[in-house]
Amino acid sequence: MNSILMVCLGNICRSPLAEGILRSKIEKLNLTITVDSAGTSNYHIGQPPDNRTIENAKKHGIDISKLRGRQFQVEDFDKFDIIFAMDASNYTNIIDLARNEKDKNKVEMILNRVNPNSNMAVPDPYYGGEQGFENVFILLDSACEVIAKSLLR
Ligand code: 4NP
């Protein structure tokens, strides 16, 4: 296992935060694992994360200000060992691009690492208030804690 991709819709709220949180945990564990993020849409290609996400991450000691949005590509199935979707819509959009079973088997709903088989969503915080961003942080921090520990084995 050496590469993980986080995927949401815009790649400016949930997935860059997941990338930042997991990278920070991996660095603390002295592991060398590539972590990246992407969006299924082309809405925010080349843009930094949403300011509310940057501020929320900063509050928790994580700097994601230099990340830039990119769109998920079919080649990501070759580059990454695990592809984490934030919600069922992201999951379906990624699966629709899969070329074979091997590709499909790489895709997981991220919160299933905390609550197996429940297919819970990390709610899209884009149209909501500040509390939505903190809620996303709490959910992603718990999932990334489980993911980081699983990489130690
Ligand atoms: P994300 O949030 O998928 O967590 O990055 C969104 C960001 C932008 C939009 C939707 C969701 N949008 O429609 O522009």
Side-chain angles (χ1 to χ4, degrees):
M1 167 65 48
N2 48 36
S3 56
I4 294 176
L5 183 66
M6 303 293 191
V7 180
C8 62
L9 174 62
N11 194 210
I12 56 166
C13 295
R14 294 164 293 176
S15 63
L17 185 62
E19 175 184 348
I21 293 171
L22 185 60
R23 182 172 292 129
S24 134
K25 291 185 189 293
I26 280 172
E27 281 168 5
K28 281 179 192 145
L29 294 171
N30 265 320
L31 297 170
T32 48
I33 287 159
T34 301
V35 186
D36 194 7
S37 65
T40 57
S41 77
N42 61 5
Y43 305 159
H44 299 283
I45 294 172
Q47 294 177 14
D50 188 287
N51 266 324
R52 298 164 294 177
T53 309
I54 293 176
E55 287 306 313
N56 179 272
K58 196 200 265 181
K59 192 176 98 185
H60 294 282
I62 296 170
D63 179 11
I64 59 166
S65 64
K66 291 180 188 64
L67 301 183
R68 293 295 179 265
R70 75 168 180 91
Q71 188 170 22
F72 180 84
Q73 299 175 309
V74 171
E75 295 75 41
D76 287 318
F77 286 115
D78 300 319
K79 293 182 185 155
F80 295 92
D81 300 309
I82 310 181
I83 297 166
F84 284 115
M86 302 294 130
D87 65 29
S89 157
N90 310 147
Y91 182 88
T92 304
N93 288 332
I94 301 163
I95 291 288
D96 284 348
L97 294 171
R99 301 156 298 186
N100 49 48
E101 284 303 305
K102 188 179 173 213
D103 287 356
K104 288 183 186 172
N105 288 335
K106 292 185 173 190
V107 190
E108 294 182 41
M109 292 278 282
I110 190 167
L111 293 185
N112 281 357
R113 289 297 182 104
V114 183
N115 299 109
N117 305 313
S118 65
N119 295 333
M120 279 170 56
V122 179
D124 184 347
Y126 190 63
Y127 295 103
E130 169 67 29
Q131 187 54 39
F133 286 82
E134 181 61 15
N135 182 45
V136 166
F137 182 90
I138 291 165
L139 292 172
L140 290 177
D141 190 62
S142 66
C144 290
E145 188 67 24
V146 176
I147 295 164
K149 281 190 180 139
S150 77
L151 298 169
L152 285 171
R153 287 178 222 127

